[in-house]
Amino acid sequence: MIDIEAVDSLDDSGLGLLIGAYKRAQKNAVSVQFVCTHPQILEIFLVCGLTRTFGIHPSIQDAVAAIRQAHH
């Protein structure tokens, strides 16, 4: 789980880090879920098409539930 609730801006390098972390996790069959409700960050994910790739959740509890479900 990657909690980016405290992030209020995201540039290309930050986005690249998140995508890299996601890809590394996928190679190891690890579920990565993001916690994010910040409208500007969600807009970046939407414009980049990452809302279809990333699991994005409004709370830590929701992200944890998604991780648990992925492992069953």
Side-chain angles (χ1 to χ4, degrees):
M1 173 183 45
I2 301 175
D3 183 352
I4 55 175
E5 277 297 281
V7 175
D8 59 5
S9 66
L10 187 64
D11 62 10
D12 292 343
S13 61
L15 190 58
L17 286 172
L18 293 177
I19 293 169
Y22 177 82
K23 286 182 177 182
R24 283 188 301 280
Q26 292 298 301
K27 284 182 183 178
N28 293 305
V30 175
S31 173
V32 175
Q33 305 297 318
F34 291 86
V35 178
C36 180
T37 59
H38 198 285
Q40 284 88 354
I41 304 300
L42 291 171
E43 182 68 20
I44 291 169
F45 288 159
L46 181 64
V47 169
C48 293
L50 296 173
T51 55
R52 294 185 306 266
T53 303
F54 290 172
I56 303 172
H57 306 278
S59 71
I60 290 173
Q61 293 81 6
D62 289 340
V64 168
I67 292 168
R68 287 184 177 146
Q69 185 175 8
H71 291 292
H72 288 278

